[in-house]
């Protein structure tokens, strides 16, 4: 605006000065105004008038530009929203949602349809009500709150991985499940946990950060202390160093897998972990969410020793504070036992979190360190975008 304002001021000054000169021209004996008279009688007054006119013109231009700027912002927001909706509709149409594609599943009263963010379903027969937080009605548009009954032949999208979905309230029902939507039967116990984050485990596997076991990802069981420690070392980009480490550790209960000793010895030397006693590490003991929260926060540069958080107390609050999880996601994970499925989701979330006191994201740090490649990261994100 400063160059425009200066141009307006100069133009206004020229107009006012010209008008003043011609208005003040003398008679035949004094055809032109003298320089001294111009300086004493007119200059100050004309400058003041020019400033006033320039300020008025500048204010009018600024008001106009502000108005157009706000209109442009509204147009951009509307365009972005419309583009997003159109992209979703095109994606769903390409997948055959409107044509009835998808697995038809028979349901009974009390069954819950849920799934990860982006999962969807269409009720074909029966009645159901929304549970959790909300659903998105893709067919008609807009969010639908918990407790509300849903209509048949409408495509509903799960907007959060927080247990949101629908509970069947009729004796029987049928639904088409898509993009990871699952059925959890009424009365399912802890041993019947249904994995919600398989796609995140697959994305991490592409990057070499979640490798599973000899029988698969085993997402439906609790992770062990050793497994969560390995996750930490991989998130730090230090797995190569750990496997090359030649030091030892004091624990007598680490047997069987040779690499386990290397991971633990390396982590103890670095101060990343401690044992459950002076002589026991408890490698096969189940790990809870607090253990992985602590490891991830340490990978991001936060220190419980320095008072940034407290294990099994403020660690979950810190995770929400830095944007690792939403409050809803944290509360969902805190319910019941902690599973490898949820651990995979937490590890993926950590890649998009910034390091303490920095704008650098953990995922970017791993790429810069050469622990993963940019192409691996892009491939992992692409895998998730197709879900």
């Amino acid at each position: 605006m400063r160059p425009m304002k200066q141009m307006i001021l100069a133009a206004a000054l020229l107009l006012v000065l010209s008008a003043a000169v011609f208005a003040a021209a003398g008679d035949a004996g004094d055809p032109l105004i003298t320089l001294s008279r111009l300086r004493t009688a007119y200059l100050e007054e004309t400058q003041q008038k020019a400033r006033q006119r320039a300020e008025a013109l500048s204010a009018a231009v600024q008001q106009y530009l502000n108005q157009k700027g706000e209109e442009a912002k509204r147009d951009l927001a509307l365009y972005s929203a419309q583009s997003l909706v159109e992209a979703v509709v095109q994606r769903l149409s390409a997948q055959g949602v409107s044509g009835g594609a998808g697995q038809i599943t028979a349901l009974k009263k009390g069954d819950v349809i849920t799934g990860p963010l982006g999962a969807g379903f269409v009720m074909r027969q029966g009645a159901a009500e929304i549970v959790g937080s909300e659903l998105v009605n893709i067919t008609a548009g807009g969010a639908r709150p918990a407790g509300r009954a849903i209509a048949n032949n409408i495509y509903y999208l799960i907007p959060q991985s927080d247990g949101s979905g629908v509970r069947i309230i009729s004796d029987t029902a049928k639904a088409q499940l898509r993009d990871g939507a699952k059925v959890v039967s009424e009365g399912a116990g802890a041993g019947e946990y249904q994995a919600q984050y398989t796609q995140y485990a697959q994305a991490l596997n592409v990057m070499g950060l979640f490798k599973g076991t000899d029988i698969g990802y085993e997402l439906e069981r609790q992770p062990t202390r050793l497994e969560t420690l390995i996750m930490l070392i991989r998130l730090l980009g230090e797995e190569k160093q750990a496997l090359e480490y030649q030091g030892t550790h004091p624990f007598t209960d680490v047997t069987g897998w040779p690499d386990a000793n290397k991971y633990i010895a390396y982590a103890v030397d670095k101060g990343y972990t401690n044992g459950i006693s002076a002589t026991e590490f408890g490698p096969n003991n189940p790990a809870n969410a607090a253990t992985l929260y602590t490891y991830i926060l340490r990978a991001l540069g936060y220190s419980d020793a320095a008072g940034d958080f407290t294990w099994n107390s403020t660690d979950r609050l810190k995770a929400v504070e830095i944007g690792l999880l939403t409050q809803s996601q944290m509360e969902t994970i805190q319910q019941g036992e902690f599973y490898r499925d949820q651990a995979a989701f937490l590890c993926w979330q950590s890649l998009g979190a910034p390091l303490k006191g920095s704008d650098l994201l953990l995922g970017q740090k791993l790429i810069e360190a050469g622990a993963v490649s940019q192409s691996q990261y892009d491939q992992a994100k692409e895998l998730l975008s197709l879900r």
Side-chain angles (χ1 to χ4, degrees):
M1 275 305 302
R2 188 178 297 273
M4 179 179 290
K5 184 174 181 179
Q6 291 174 342
M7 293 173 62
I8 294 172
L9 178 61
L13 180 60
L14 179 60
L15 290 172
V16 175
L17 284 174
S18 299
V21 168
F22 286 114
D27 55 21
D30 185 15
L32 294 175
I33 189 169
T34 64
L35 180 59
S36 61
R37 185 179 178 189
L38 174 63
R39 286 175 174 169
T40 58
Y42 296 98
L43 186 57
E44 183 176 348
E45 179 181 354
T46 53
Q47 285 180 334
Q48 181 63 28
K49 290 181 179 179
R51 289 192 189 96
Q52 291 174 348
R53 186 171 180 183
E55 291 294 340
L57 290 172
S58 176
V61 171
Q62 185 63 57
Q63 182 179 5
Y64 174 81
L65 292 177
N66 289 342
Q67 178 183 351
K68 291 301 180 183
E70 291 301 317
E71 291 176 358
K73 288 180 182 179
R74 289 193 296 270
D75 291 344
L76 179 60
L78 179 60
Y79 174 78
S80 299
Q82 290 174 335
S83 298
L84 178 60
V85 171
E86 289 171 0
V88 171
V89 170
Q90 289 174 2
R91 174 172 173 261
L92 295 176
S93 297
Q95 293 177 343
V97 171
S98 59
Q103 173 189 355
I104 296 288
T105 301
L107 304 162
K108 63 182 182 303
K109 188 173 184 177
D111 285 350
V112 173
I113 301 175
T114 186
L117 184 153
F121 59 90
V122 179
M123 287 293 299
R124 292 303 185 188
Q125 295 179 15
E129 63 180 8
I130 299 172
V131 296
S133 56
E134 63 181 11
L135 294 180
V136 176
N137 183 326
I138 292 295
T139 304
R144 302 294 184 265
R148 181 169 176 172
I150 66 168
N152 289 348
N153 302 314
I154 299 294
Y155 189 84
Y156 290 93
L157 187 74
I158 297 174
Q160 296 188 62
S161 301
D162 61 353
S164 291
V166 292
R167 178 182 292 109
I168 305 304
I169 57 177
S170 57
D171 290 337
T172 61
K174 289 184 179 180
Q176 289 176 276
L177 309 182
R178 301 186 57 83
D179 298 323
K182 296 180 179 295
V183 177
V184 179
S185 297
E186 185 177 34
E192 300 173 1
Y193 174 79
Q194 300 288 321
Q196 306 294 310
Y197 305 108
T198 302
Q199 70 271 33
Y200 295 99
Q202 293 170 336
L204 290 171
N205 181 260
V206 169
M207 301 173 67
L209 300 178
F210 193 91
K211 299 178 182 179
T213 70
D214 56 354
I215 60 174
Y217 293 136
E218 293 192 85
L219 301 178
E220 295 82 8
R221 70 165 174 83
Q222 291 179 273
T224 66
R225 279 174 46 83
L226 176 59
E227 288 169 345
T228 53
L229 176 62
I230 293 172
M231 290 177 189
L232 166 66
I233 292 173
R234 288 174 180 163
L235 290 177
L236 289 167
E238 299 175 7
E239 185 170 30
K240 182 175 183 293
Q241 296 91 313
L243 293 176
E244 293 174 351
Y245 187 68
Q246 298 300 313
T248 61
H249 59 74
F251 309 119
T252 60
D253 60 343
V254 184
T255 59
W257 186 34
D259 285 348
N261 289 286
K262 296 181 179 181
Y263 283 117
I264 294 172
Y266 178 82
V268 170
D269 180 67
K270 289 289 187 178
Y272 296 155
T273 190
N274 298 306
I276 59 176
S277 73
T279 59
E280 294 178 305
F281 182 76
N284 297 319
N285 290 5
N288 58 16
T291 300
L292 192 55
Y293 290 152
T294 295
Y295 282 162
I296 289 176
L297 289 171
R298 288 175 182 171
L300 293 171
Y302 295 93
S303 170
D304 44 331
D308 290 333
F309 65 94
T310 303
W311 180 84
N312 205 24
S313 176
T314 62
D315 48 15
R316 70 200 70 174
L317 303 179
K318 194 70 177 179
V320 173
E321 176 189 325
I322 67 172
L324 179 66
L325 294 170
T326 65
Q327 182 70 22
S328 176
Q329 289 168 339
M330 184 273 292
E331 291 174 355
T332 299
I333 289 175
Q334 289 299 126
Q335 296 174 1
E337 294 181 352
F338 182 61
Y339 295 94
R340 282 170 56 88
D341 180 49
Q342 296 164 325
F345 176 68
L346 281 171
C347 289
W348 175 264
Q349 290 291 98
S350 71
L351 299 179
L355 304 181
K356 179 184 177 181
S358 171
D359 292 330
L360 183 68
L361 305 182
L362 180 59
Q364 295 171 327
K365 176 190 173 185
L366 292 177
I367 293 171
E368 291 181 2
V372 299
S373 68
Q374 182 67 58
S375 63
Q376 285 177 311
Y377 196 17
D378 292 342
Q379 184 181 350
K381 290 188 288 187
E382 178 66 18
L383 176 66
L384 291 176
S385 71
L386 294 175
R387 296 286 174 172

